[in-house]
Amino acid sequence: MDKLGKAQSELLEMDEIASGKSFVHRLHPLAKLVVTIVYIIFVVSFDKYNFTGLVPMVLFPVFIYQLAGVPVSLCFKKLRYVLPLVLAVGIVNPFFDNVPMLHLGNMVITGGVLSMLTLMLKGVLSIMASFILVATTKIDAICAALRKIHVPDIIVTLILLTYRYVGVMISEVSIMNNAYKLRAPGQKGIHFSAWGSFLGQLFLRSMDRAEELYSSMQLRAFKGEFYYADVHPATISSYVYVVVSILFFALFRFVDVSNLFGSLII
């Protein structure tokens, strides 16, 4: 299978994963969306030097991944191209902040290194929380939840169409790539001289598909709302999930659990 086929299969795999039947999958999408947003807010609110205080926040996404039956490794596999960018956010901090903060034996950890590690962990945790939301909730349900919190319909529609059209575009590129290979057997890749016409044809085919998509949405009387989404009424478990999760976040945000646990062991 070529790269385009792998990309298309990965998108289909995400839809299959989001159709699961675990406890997390059955929760109301608005509850999962609110918990994800609150979690990210709590994570980014930690001080840039408070690495040890941030570490316990890892427990929540890891627990939810286990509860949903989604391997944690799947998150890093799917987001393998995004993670290097996230990890590079604070990579220059050690060069600008040389104030000693910790001493581990003969090794001195400066404020720059500590803030770099904290920023990296914040990015990874935010990505993990966002991924588990997408992995346990269909895109239509997420968009319906966004409309529930009054996100403008044009933004929600753009999110939906972008997500949906990625798969369509990959399919079109795959068809055109296979057609090119049939006309140029034995040639590796697309020749430089054909790039312009290839992109032009892709643009024209994309316009045709966009017109078909727009016509089908009009026939279904789409007005920026998501009444068709398969969203069940919120249950008691969804409310309990929100309350318990926020209490959990508040506990680890305002209580230094790491030092408390360390002092108890000592």
Side-chain angles (χ1 to χ4, degrees):
M1 184 182 296
D2 58 6
K3 292 182 178 180
L4 292 173
K6 289 181 180 179
Q8 196 167 13
S9 64
E10 286 188 5
L11 286 176
L12 295 175
E13 184 183 2
M14 286 301 300
D15 288 335
E16 292 178 2
I17 294 172
S19 302
K21 303 297 181 182
S22 71
F23 169 77
V24 181
H25 285 84
R26 294 194 301 269
L27 291 171
H28 195 275
L30 182 58
K32 289 184 280 187
L33 178 65
V34 169
V35 167
T36 302
I37 293 174
V38 173
Y39 176 79
I40 293 175
I41 290 174
F42 271 100
V43 165
V44 300
S45 68
F46 276 82
D47 184 76
K48 64 179 181 179
Y49 298 125
N50 193 7
F51 180 79
T52 56
L54 184 61
V55 169
M57 296 294 284
V58 177
L59 296 176
F60 174 75
V62 171
F63 176 73
I64 297 300
Y65 273 82
Q66 297 300 318
L67 200 61
V70 178
V72 178
S73 59
L74 183 65
C75 170
F76 298 108
K77 177 184 176 182
K78 296 292 185 183
L79 302 176
R80 57 189 178 275
Y81 300 114
V82 180
L83 283 172
L85 299 177
V86 173
L87 296 178
V89 170
I91 202 167
V92 298
N93 287 22
F95 300 101
F96 295 99
D97 189 352
N98 298 316
V99 178
M101 298 290 291
L102 294 174
H103 294 272
L104 298 177
N106 296 326
M107 184 171 62
V108 178
I109 298 179
T110 63
V113 173
L114 198 58
S115 63
M116 178 188 69
L117 295 175
T118 305
L119 282 173
M120 289 180 175
L121 184 57
K122 286 181 180 181
V124 171
L125 293 180
S126 299
I127 283 180
M128 290 179 68
S130 302
F131 181 82
I132 194 60
L133 172 65
V134 176
T136 58
T137 316
K138 293 183 177 180
I139 186 62
D140 296 327
I142 294 176
C143 291
L146 289 171
R147 288 296 296 139
K148 289 286 186 182
I149 59 176
H150 302 291
V151 175
D153 57 348
I154 187 172
I155 296 178
V156 179
T157 304
L158 283 173
I159 293 172
L160 173 67
L161 294 182
T162 301
Y163 182 89
R164 291 298 186 198
Y165 199 73
V166 166
V168 175
M169 187 174 67
I170 291 175
S171 177
E172 292 295 328
V173 173
S174 179
I175 293 171
M176 293 176 60
N177 187 50
N178 291 334
Y180 182 85
K181 287 181 178 179
L182 291 174
R183 290 176 173 84
Q187 181 174 310
K188 185 177 180 181
I190 300 173
H191 194 269
F192 176 77
S193 61
W195 286 8
S197 58
F198 188 90
L199 291 176
Q201 286 293 325
L202 177 61
F203 176 75
L204 293 176
R205 292 172 68 95
S206 300
M207 290 293 293
D208 291 338
R209 293 300 297 268
E211 287 291 340
E212 294 174 2
L213 180 61
Y214 179 67
S215 299
S216 64
M217 291 171 65
Q218 284 187 318
L219 290 173
R220 290 170 175 80
F222 181 77
K223 300 294 183 182
E225 301 298 335
F226 297 85
Y227 302 115
Y228 65 89
D230 185 18
V231 179
H232 301 288
T235 59
I236 297 298
S237 58
S238 296
Y239 290 106
V240 172
Y241 173 74
V242 174
V243 173
V244 172
S245 298
I246 293 177
L247 290 176
F248 175 87
F249 304 154
L251 171 66
F252 285 140
R253 175 62 182 87
F254 300 111
V255 178
D256 196 345
V257 178
S258 298
N259 287 338
L260 181 63
F261 185 71
S263 62
L264 290 176
I265 294 178
I266 295 174

PDB file of all heavy atoms in Angstrom, residues 49-83:
ATOM      1  N   TYR A  49       7.945  26.696  35.674  1.00  0.00           N
ATOM      2  CA  TYR A  49       8.964  25.922  36.385  1.00  0.00           C
ATOM      3  C   TYR A  49       8.369  24.781  37.203  1.00  0.00           C
ATOM      4  O   TYR A  49       9.108  24.022  37.830  1.00  0.00           O
ATOM      5  CB  TYR A  49       9.765  26.832  37.325  1.00  0.00           C
ATOM      6  CG  TYR A  49      10.530  27.932  36.624  1.00  0.00           C
ATOM      7  CD1 TYR A  49      10.357  29.262  36.989  1.00  0.00           C
ATOM      8  CD2 TYR A  49      11.425  27.644  35.603  1.00  0.00           C
ATOM      9  CE1 TYR A  49      11.059  30.280  36.352  1.00  0.00           C
ATOM     10  CE2 TYR A  49      12.132  28.654  34.956  1.00  0.00           C
ATOM     11  CZ  TYR A  49      11.940  29.968  35.334  1.00  0.00           C
ATOM     12  OH  TYR A  49      12.629  30.957  34.687  1.00  0.00           O
ATOM     13  N   ASN A  50       7.051  24.650  37.207  1.00  0.00           N
ATOM     14  CA  ASN A  50       6.399  23.669  38.068  1.00  0.00           C
ATOM     15  C   ASN A  50       6.236  22.332  37.348  1.00  0.00           C
ATOM     16  O   ASN A  50       5.119  21.857  37.092  1.00  0.00           O
ATOM     17  CB  ASN A  50       5.028  24.206  38.515  1.00  0.00           C
ATOM     18  CG  ASN A  50       4.432  23.389  39.646  1.00  0.00           C
ATOM     19  OD1 ASN A  50       5.092  22.502  40.199  1.00  0.00           O
ATOM     20  ND2 ASN A  50       3.193  23.675  39.992  1.00  0.00           N
ATOM     21  N   PHE A  51       7.358  21.717  37.016  1.00  0.00           N
ATOM     22  CA  PHE A  51       7.316  20.451  36.284  1.00  0.00           C
ATOM     23  C   PHE A  51       6.766  19.323  37.150  1.00  0.00           C
ATOM     24  O   PHE A  51       5.947  18.519  36.701  1.00  0.00           O
ATOM     25  CB  PHE A  51       8.718  20.099  35.781  1.00  0.00           C
ATOM     26  CG  PHE A  51       8.789  18.811  35.018  1.00  0.00           C
ATOM     27  CD1 PHE A  51       8.384  18.762  33.695  1.00  0.00           C
ATOM     28  CD2 PHE A  51       9.249  17.649  35.620  1.00  0.00           C
ATOM     29  CE1 PHE A  51       8.436  17.572  32.977  1.00  0.00           C
ATOM     30  CE2 PHE A  51       9.304  16.455  34.916  1.00  0.00           C
ATOM     31  CZ  PHE A  51       8.902  16.422  33.593  1.00  0.00           C
ATOM     32  N   THR A  52       7.226  19.261  38.399  1.00  0.00           N
ATOM     33  CA  THR A  52       6.781  18.174  39.277  1.00  0.00           C
ATOM     34  C   THR A  52       5.286  18.279  39.588  1.00  0.00           C
ATOM     35  O   THR A  52       4.604  17.265  39.734  1.00  0.00           O
ATOM     36  CB  THR A  52       7.576  18.192  40.592  1.00  0.00           C
ATOM     37  OG1 THR A  52       7.440  19.493  41.219  1.00  0.00           O
ATOM     38  CG2 THR A  52       9.049  17.914  40.342  1.00  0.00           C
ATOM     39  N   GLY A  53       4.772  19.507  39.686  1.00  0.00           N
ATOM     40  CA  GLY A  53       3.340  19.665  39.927  1.00  0.00           C
ATOM     41  C   GLY A  53       2.500  19.259  38.730  1.00  0.00           C
ATOM     42  O   GLY A  53       1.354  18.837  38.871  1.00  0.00           O
ATOM     43  N   LEU A  54       3.079  19.362  37.525  1.00  0.00           N
ATOM     44  CA  LEU A  54       2.354  19.019  36.302  1.00  0.00           C
ATOM     45  C   LEU A  54       2.323  17.520  36.045  1.00  0.00           C
ATOM     46  O   LEU A  54       1.388  17.028  35.395  1.00  0.00           O
ATOM     47  CB  LEU A  54       3.011  19.738  35.119  1.00  0.00           C
ATOM     48  CG  LEU A  54       2.368  19.599  33.740  1.00  0.00           C
ATOM     49  CD1 LEU A  54       0.951  20.155  33.751  1.00  0.00           C
ATOM     50  CD2 LEU A  54       3.212  20.327  32.690  1.00  0.00           C
ATOM     51  N   VAL A  55       3.301  16.803  36.551  1.00  0.00           N
ATOM     52  CA  VAL A  55       3.418  15.367  36.264  1.00  0.00           C
ATOM     53  C   VAL A  55       2.155  14.579  36.632  1.00  0.00           C
ATOM     54  O   VAL A  55       1.711  13.723  35.852  1.00  0.00           O
ATOM     55  CB  VAL A  55       4.660  14.781  36.966  1.00  0.00           C
ATOM     56  CG1 VAL A  55       4.647  13.252  36.919  1.00  0.00           C
ATOM     57  CG2 VAL A  55       5.931  15.304  36.313  1.00  0.00           C
ATOM     58  N   PRO A  56       1.537  14.803  37.810  1.00  0.00           N
ATOM     59  CA  PRO A  56       0.326  14.027  38.129  1.00  0.00           C
ATOM     60  C   PRO A  56      -0.821  14.200  37.140  1.00  0.00           C
ATOM     61  O   PRO A  56      -1.708  13.335  37.068  1.00  0.00           O
ATOM     62  CB  PRO A  56      -0.072  14.560  39.515  1.00  0.00           C
ATOM     63  CG  PRO A  56       1.184  15.079  40.100  1.00  0.00           C
ATOM     64  CD  PRO A  56       1.941  15.644  38.955  1.00  0.00           C
ATOM     65  N   MET A  57      -0.834  15.281  36.364  1.00  0.00           N
ATOM     66  CA  MET A  57      -1.891  15.477  35.376  1.00  0.00           C
ATOM     67  C   MET A  57      -1.827  14.433  34.264  1.00  0.00           C
ATOM     68  O   MET A  57      -2.774  14.287  33.483  1.00  0.00           O
ATOM     69  CB  MET A  57      -1.796  16.877  34.771  1.00  0.00           C
ATOM     70  CG  MET A  57      -2.033  18.014  35.750  1.00  0.00           C
ATOM     71  SD  MET A  57      -3.719  18.060  36.397  1.00  0.00           S
ATOM     72  CE  MET A  57      -4.608  18.743  35.003  1.00  0.00           C
ATOM     73  N   VAL A  58      -0.722  13.689  34.200  1.00  0.00           N
ATOM     74  CA  VAL A  58      -0.606  12.617  33.207  1.00  0.00           C
ATOM     75  C   VAL A  58      -1.610  11.500  33.504  1.00  0.00           C
ATOM     76  O   VAL A  58      -2.058  10.795  32.596  1.00  0.00           O
ATOM     77  CB  VAL A  58       0.837  12.057  33.204  1.00  0.00           C
ATOM     78  CG1 VAL A  58       0.973  10.893  32.244  1.00  0.00           C
ATOM     79  CG2 VAL A  58       1.823  13.153  32.857  1.00  0.00           C
ATOM     80  N   LEU A  59      -1.969  11.361  34.778  1.00  0.00           N
ATOM     81  CA  LEU A  59      -2.835  10.255  35.174  1.00  0.00           C
ATOM     82  C   LEU A  59      -4.192  10.290  34.476  1.00  0.00           C
ATOM     83  O   LEU A  59      -4.737   9.244  34.121  1.00  0.00           O
ATOM     84  CB  LEU A  59      -3.038  10.275  36.698  1.00  0.00           C
ATOM     85  CG  LEU A  59      -1.781  10.057  37.550  1.00  0.00           C
ATOM     86  CD1 LEU A  59      -2.117  10.207  39.027  1.00  0.00           C
ATOM     87  CD2 LEU A  59      -1.177   8.693  37.265  1.00  0.00           C
ATOM     88  N   PHE A  60      -4.737  11.490  34.265  1.00  0.00           N
ATOM     89  CA  PHE A  60      -6.086  11.569  33.684  1.00  0.00           C
ATOM     90  C   PHE A  60      -6.136  11.023  32.259  1.00  0.00           C
ATOM     91  O   PHE A  60      -6.939  10.128  31.976  1.00  0.00           O
ATOM     92  CB  PHE A  60      -6.592  13.011  33.717  1.00  0.00           C
ATOM     93  CG  PHE A  60      -7.898  13.193  33.002  1.00  0.00           C
ATOM     94  CD1 PHE A  60      -9.085  12.754  33.578  1.00  0.00           C
ATOM     95  CD2 PHE A  60      -7.945  13.778  31.743  1.00  0.00           C
ATOM     96  CE1 PHE A  60     -10.290  12.896  32.909  1.00  0.00           C
ATOM     97  CE2 PHE A  60      -9.143  13.929  31.074  1.00  0.00           C
ATOM     98  CZ  PHE A  60     -10.321  13.486  31.654  1.00  0.00           C
ATOM     99  N   PRO A  61      -5.329  11.525  31.313  1.00  0.00           N
ATOM    100  CA  PRO A  61      -5.420  10.966  29.954  1.00  0.00           C
ATOM    101  C   PRO A  61      -5.087   9.484  29.893  1.00  0.00           C
ATOM    102  O   PRO A  61      -5.714   8.734  29.146  1.00  0.00           O
ATOM    103  CB  PRO A  61      -4.436  11.806  29.139  1.00  0.00           C
ATOM    104  CG  PRO A  61      -3.540  12.435  30.130  1.00  0.00           C
ATOM    105  CD  PRO A  61      -4.336  12.612  31.375  1.00  0.00           C
ATOM    106  N   VAL A  62      -4.103   9.045  30.682  1.00  0.00           N
ATOM    107  CA  VAL A  62      -3.740   7.623  30.678  1.00  0.00           C
ATOM    108  C   VAL A  62      -4.920   6.777  31.155  1.00  0.00           C
ATOM    109  O   VAL A  62      -5.238   5.729  30.562  1.00  0.00           O
ATOM    110  CB  VAL A  62      -2.503   7.381  31.564  1.00  0.00           C
ATOM    111  CG1 VAL A  62      -2.252   5.890  31.742  1.00  0.00           C
ATOM    112  CG2 VAL A  62      -1.274   8.044  30.953  1.00  0.00           C
ATOM    113  N   PHE A  63      -5.601   7.232  32.201  1.00  0.00           N
ATOM    114  CA  PHE A  63      -6.759   6.503  32.723  1.00  0.00           C
ATOM    115  C   PHE A  63      -7.897   6.471  31.700  1.00  0.00           C
ATOM    116  O   PHE A  63      -8.526   5.430  31.491  1.00  0.00           O
ATOM    117  CB  PHE A  63      -7.235   7.160  34.023  1.00  0.00           C
ATOM    118  CG  PHE A  63      -8.486   6.544  34.578  1.00  0.00           C
ATOM    119  CD1 PHE A  63      -8.461   5.300  35.183  1.00  0.00           C
ATOM    120  CD2 PHE A  63      -9.693   7.224  34.499  1.00  0.00           C
ATOM    121  CE1 PHE A  63      -9.625   4.727  35.691  1.00  0.00           C
ATOM    122  CE2 PHE A  63     -10.860   6.671  35.000  1.00  0.00           C
ATOM    123  CZ  PHE A  63     -10.821   5.416  35.593  1.00  0.00           C
ATOM    124  N   ILE A  64      -8.164   7.599  31.048  1.00  0.00           N
ATOM    125  CA  ILE A  64      -9.243   7.662  30.058  1.00  0.00           C
ATOM    126  C   ILE A  64      -8.916   6.795  28.846  1.00  0.00           C
ATOM    127  O   ILE A  64      -9.806   6.128  28.285  1.00  0.00           O
ATOM    128  CB  ILE A  64      -9.499   9.119  29.628  1.00  0.00           C
ATOM    129  CG1 ILE A  64      -9.973   9.943  30.828  1.00  0.00           C
ATOM    130  CG2 ILE A  64     -10.539   9.180  28.521  1.00  0.00           C
ATOM    131  CD1 ILE A  64     -11.252   9.434  31.467  1.00  0.00           C
ATOM    132  N   TYR A  65      -7.657   6.759  28.444  1.00  0.00           N
ATOM    133  CA  TYR A  65      -7.260   5.887  27.336  1.00  0.00           C
ATOM    134  C   TYR A  65      -7.549   4.427  27.682  1.00  0.00           C
ATOM    135  O   TYR A  65      -8.060   3.673  26.843  1.00  0.00           O
ATOM    136  CB  TYR A  65      -5.772   6.060  27.026  1.00  0.00           C
ATOM    137  CG  TYR A  65      -5.466   7.171  26.057  1.00  0.00           C
ATOM    138  CD1 TYR A  65      -5.373   8.494  26.483  1.00  0.00           C
ATOM    139  CD2 TYR A  65      -5.260   6.918  24.709  1.00  0.00           C
ATOM    140  CE1 TYR A  65      -5.091   9.526  25.599  1.00  0.00           C
ATOM    141  CE2 TYR A  65      -4.974   7.943  23.811  1.00  0.00           C
ATOM    142  CZ  TYR A  65      -4.885   9.242  24.273  1.00  0.00           C
ATOM    143  OH  TYR A  65      -4.605  10.272  23.392  1.00  0.00           O
ATOM    144  N   GLN A  66      -7.220   4.037  28.908  1.00  0.00           N
ATOM    145  CA  GLN A  66      -7.484   2.657  29.324  1.00  0.00           C
ATOM    146  C   GLN A  66      -8.980   2.386  29.404  1.00  0.00           C
ATOM    147  O   GLN A  66      -9.461   1.317  28.999  1.00  0.00           O
ATOM    148  CB  GLN A  66      -6.822   2.396  30.689  1.00  0.00           C
ATOM    149  CG  GLN A  66      -5.310   2.500  30.682  1.00  0.00           C
ATOM    150  CD  GLN A  66      -4.658   1.514  29.737  1.00  0.00           C
ATOM    151  OE1 GLN A  66      -5.054   0.361  29.654  1.00  0.00           O
ATOM    152  NE2 GLN A  66      -3.639   1.966  29.003  1.00  0.00           N
ATOM    153  N   LEU A  67      -9.734   3.347  29.904  1.00  0.00           N
ATOM    154  CA  LEU A  67     -11.179   3.189  30.046  1.00  0.00           C
ATOM    155  C   LEU A  67     -11.862   3.099  28.680  1.00  0.00           C
ATOM    156  O   LEU A  67     -12.859   2.392  28.527  1.00  0.00           O
ATOM    157  CB  LEU A  67     -11.748   4.366  30.846  1.00  0.00           C
ATOM    158  CG  LEU A  67     -13.114   4.202  31.512  1.00  0.00           C
ATOM    159  CD1 LEU A  67     -13.081   3.066  32.518  1.00  0.00           C
ATOM    160  CD2 LEU A  67     -13.520   5.501  32.203  1.00  0.00           C
ATOM    161  N   ALA A  68     -11.329   3.803  27.698  1.00  0.00           N
ATOM    162  CA  ALA A  68     -11.917   3.796  26.359  1.00  0.00           C
ATOM    163  C   ALA A  68     -11.410   2.641  25.502  1.00  0.00           C
ATOM    164  O   ALA A  68     -11.937   2.405  24.405  1.00  0.00           O
ATOM    165  CB  ALA A  68     -11.605   5.114  25.654  1.00  0.00           C
ATOM    166  N   GLY A  69     -10.398   1.929  25.984  1.00  0.00           N
ATOM    167  CA  GLY A  69      -9.845   0.825  25.207  1.00  0.00           C
ATOM    168  C   GLY A  69      -9.008   1.297  24.025  1.00  0.00           C
ATOM    169  O   GLY A  69      -8.861   0.569  23.031  1.00  0.00           O
ATOM    170  N   VAL A  70      -8.460   2.499  24.123  1.00  0.00           N
ATOM    171  CA  VAL A  70      -7.623   3.067  23.058  1.00  0.00           C
ATOM    172  C   VAL A  70      -6.168   3.049  23.530  1.00  0.00           C
ATOM    173  O   VAL A  70      -5.854   3.654  24.565  1.00  0.00           O
ATOM    174  CB  VAL A  70      -8.043   4.512  22.712  1.00  0.00           C
ATOM    175  CG1 VAL A  70      -7.131   5.089  21.640  1.00  0.00           C
ATOM    176  CG2 VAL A  70      -9.493   4.554  22.261  1.00  0.00           C
ATOM    177  N   PRO A  71      -5.270   2.370  22.836  1.00  0.00           N
ATOM    178  CA  PRO A  71      -3.863   2.348  23.265  1.00  0.00           C
ATOM    179  C   PRO A  71      -3.246   3.746  23.239  1.00  0.00           C
ATOM    180  O   PRO A  71      -3.473   4.510  22.294  1.00  0.00           O
ATOM    181  CB  PRO A  71      -3.192   1.432  22.234  1.00  0.00           C
ATOM    182  CG  PRO A  71      -4.303   0.682  21.585  1.00  0.00           C
ATOM    183  CD  PRO A  71      -5.505   1.576  21.621  1.00  0.00           C
ATOM    184  N   VAL A  72      -2.471   4.062  24.253  1.00  0.00           N
ATOM    185  CA  VAL A  72      -1.790   5.356  24.291  1.00  0.00           C
ATOM    186  C   VAL A  72      -0.815   5.482  23.125  1.00  0.00           C
ATOM    187  O   VAL A  72      -0.640   6.566  22.553  1.00  0.00           O
ATOM    188  CB  VAL A  72      -1.044   5.532  25.633  1.00  0.00           C
ATOM    189  CG1 VAL A  72      -0.284   6.844  25.663  1.00  0.00           C
ATOM    190  CG2 VAL A  72      -2.022   5.469  26.800  1.00  0.00           C
ATOM    191  N   SER A  73      -0.232   4.357  22.738  1.00  0.00           N
ATOM    192  CA  SER A  73       0.719   4.379  21.625  1.00  0.00           C
ATOM    193  C   SER A  73       0.058   4.819  20.322  1.00  0.00           C
ATOM    194  O   SER A  73       0.719   5.366  19.432  1.00  0.00           O
ATOM    195  CB  SER A  73       1.337   2.992  21.446  1.00  0.00           C
ATOM    196  OG  SER A  73       0.329   2.016  21.190  1.00  0.00           O
ATOM    197  N   LEU A  74      -1.256   4.578  20.201  1.00  0.00           N
ATOM    198  CA  LEU A  74      -1.962   4.981  18.983  1.00  0.00           C
ATOM    199  C   LEU A  74      -1.948   6.498  18.814  1.00  0.00           C
ATOM    200  O   LEU A  74      -1.851   7.004  17.696  1.00  0.00           O
ATOM    201  CB  LEU A  74      -3.406   4.473  19.028  1.00  0.00           C
ATOM    202  CG  LEU A  74      -4.261   4.761  17.785  1.00  0.00           C
ATOM    203  CD1 LEU A  74      -3.712   4.013  16.577  1.00  0.00           C
ATOM    204  CD2 LEU A  74      -5.709   4.362  18.037  1.00  0.00           C
ATOM    205  N   CYS A  75      -2.046   7.226  19.935  1.00  0.00           N
ATOM    206  CA  CYS A  75      -2.011   8.689  19.886  1.00  0.00           C
ATOM    207  C   CYS A  75      -0.687   9.174  19.306  1.00  0.00           C
ATOM    208  O   CYS A  75      -0.656  10.012  18.399  1.00  0.00           O
ATOM    209  CB  CYS A  75      -2.230   9.261  21.289  1.00  0.00           C
ATOM    210  SG  CYS A  75      -1.918  11.039  21.436  1.00  0.00           S
ATOM    211  N   PHE A  76       0.410   8.626  19.802  1.00  0.00           N
ATOM    212  CA  PHE A  76       1.725   9.066  19.330  1.00  0.00           C
ATOM    213  C   PHE A  76       1.997   8.587  17.905  1.00  0.00           C
ATOM    214  O   PHE A  76       2.716   9.244  17.155  1.00  0.00           O
ATOM    215  CB  PHE A  76       2.808   8.563  20.286  1.00  0.00           C
ATOM    216  CG  PHE A  76       2.663   9.097  21.673  1.00  0.00           C
ATOM    217  CD1 PHE A  76       2.240   8.292  22.714  1.00  0.00           C
ATOM    218  CD2 PHE A  76       2.927  10.429  21.947  1.00  0.00           C
ATOM    219  CE1 PHE A  76       2.099   8.794  23.996  1.00  0.00           C
ATOM    220  CE2 PHE A  76       2.791  10.943  23.225  1.00  0.00           C
ATOM    221  CZ  PHE A  76       2.368  10.123  24.250  1.00  0.00           C
ATOM    222  N   LYS A  77       1.398   7.469  17.528  1.00  0.00           N
ATOM    223  CA  LYS A  77       1.559   6.979  16.160  1.00  0.00           C
ATOM    224  C   LYS A  77       0.825   7.883  15.172  1.00  0.00           C
ATOM    225  O   LYS A  77       1.373   8.259  14.136  1.00  0.00           O
ATOM    226  CB  LYS A  77       1.027   5.552  16.057  1.00  0.00           C
ATOM    227  CG  LYS A  77       1.090   4.982  14.650  1.00  0.00           C
ATOM    228  CD  LYS A  77       0.450   3.599  14.586  1.00  0.00           C
ATOM    229  CE  LYS A  77       0.424   3.081  13.144  1.00  0.00           C
ATOM    230  NZ  LYS A  77      -0.241   1.755  13.052  1.00  0.00           N
ATOM    231  N   LYS A  78      -0.422   8.238  15.505  1.00  0.00           N
ATOM    232  CA  LYS A  78      -1.221   9.061  14.600  1.00  0.00           C
ATOM    233  C   LYS A  78      -0.677  10.490  14.512  1.00  0.00           C
ATOM    234  O   LYS A  78      -0.783  11.148  13.468  1.00  0.00           O
ATOM    235  CB  LYS A  78      -2.672   9.112  15.079  1.00  0.00           C
ATOM    236  CG  LYS A  78      -3.394   7.776  15.053  1.00  0.00           C
ATOM    237  CD  LYS A  78      -3.626   7.280  13.649  1.00  0.00           C
ATOM    238  CE  LYS A  78      -4.456   6.019  13.636  1.00  0.00           C
ATOM    239  NZ  LYS A  78      -4.639   5.468  12.275  1.00  0.00           N
ATOM    240  N   LEU A  79      -0.108  10.973  15.608  1.00  0.00           N
ATOM    241  CA  LEU A  79       0.355  12.360  15.655  1.00  0.00           C
ATOM    242  C   LEU A  79       1.876  12.452  15.593  1.00  0.00           C
ATOM    243  O   LEU A  79       2.473  13.385  16.126  1.00  0.00           O
ATOM    244  CB  LEU A  79      -0.165  13.033  16.933  1.00  0.00           C
ATOM    245  CG  LEU A  79      -1.688  13.037  17.101  1.00  0.00           C
ATOM    246  CD1 LEU A  79      -2.080  13.631  18.442  1.00  0.00           C
ATOM    247  CD2 LEU A  79      -2.351  13.818  15.971  1.00  0.00           C
ATOM    248  N   ARG A  80       2.488  11.499  14.926  1.00  0.00           N
ATOM    249  CA  ARG A  80       3.955  11.440  14.876  1.00  0.00           C
ATOM    250  C   ARG A  80       4.573  12.631  14.148  1.00  0.00           C
ATOM    251  O   ARG A  80       5.738  12.964  14.385  1.00  0.00           O
ATOM    252  CB  ARG A  80       4.405  10.134  14.216  1.00  0.00           C
ATOM    253  CG  ARG A  80       3.847   9.909  12.819  1.00  0.00           C
ATOM    254  CD  ARG A  80       4.164   8.496  12.330  1.00  0.00           C
ATOM    255  NE  ARG A  80       3.606   8.215  11.011  1.00  0.00           N
ATOM    256  CZ  ARG A  80       2.356   7.792  10.799  1.00  0.00           C
ATOM    257  NH1 ARG A  80       1.550   7.634  11.838  1.00  0.00           N
ATOM    258  NH2 ARG A  80       1.927   7.536   9.590  1.00  0.00           N
ATOM    259  N   TYR A  81       3.794  13.266  13.267  1.00  0.00           N
ATOM    260  CA  TYR A  81       4.331  14.426  12.545  1.00  0.00           C
ATOM    261  C   TYR A  81       4.118  15.729  13.326  1.00  0.00           C
ATOM    262  O   TYR A  81       4.773  16.729  13.046  1.00  0.00           O
ATOM    263  CB  TYR A  81       3.669  14.542  11.175  1.00  0.00           C
ATOM    264  CG  TYR A  81       3.894  13.326  10.296  1.00  0.00           C
ATOM    265  CD1 TYR A  81       2.829  12.512   9.924  1.00  0.00           C
ATOM    266  CD2 TYR A  81       5.168  12.989   9.866  1.00  0.00           C
ATOM    267  CE1 TYR A  81       3.034  11.388   9.128  1.00  0.00           C
ATOM    268  CE2 TYR A  81       5.384  11.869   9.078  1.00  0.00           C
ATOM    269  CZ  TYR A  81       4.311  11.067   8.711  1.00  0.00           C
ATOM    270  OH  TYR A  81       4.523   9.959   7.943  1.00  0.00           O
ATOM    271  N   VAL A  82       3.184  15.715  14.269  1.00  0.00           N
ATOM    272  CA  VAL A  82       2.892  16.920  15.049  1.00  0.00           C
ATOM    273  C   VAL A  82       3.756  16.994  16.297  1.00  0.00           C
ATOM    274  O   VAL A  82       4.175  18.079  16.717  1.00  0.00           O
ATOM    275  CB  VAL A  82       1.399  16.956  15.434  1.00  0.00           C
ATOM    276  CG1 VAL A  82       1.080  18.197  16.256  1.00  0.00           C
ATOM    277  CG2 VAL A  82       0.532  16.906  14.178  1.00  0.00           C
ATOM    278  N   LEU A  83       4.049  15.849  16.886  1.00  0.00           N
ATOM    279  CA  LEU A  83       4.791  15.824  18.143  1.00  0.00           C
ATOM    280  C   LEU A  83       6.152  16.517  18.071  1.00  0.00           C
ATOM    281  O   LEU A  83       6.515  17.239  19.006  1.00  0.00           O
ATOM    282  CB  LEU A  83       4.957  14.369  18.610  1.00  0.00           C
ATOM    283  CG  LEU A  83       3.723  13.737  19.249  1.00  0.00           C
ATOM    284  CD1 LEU A  83       3.946  12.252  19.487  1.00  0.00           C
ATOM    285  CD2 LEU A  83       3.379  14.434  20.564  1.00  0.00           C
TER     286      LEU A  83
END
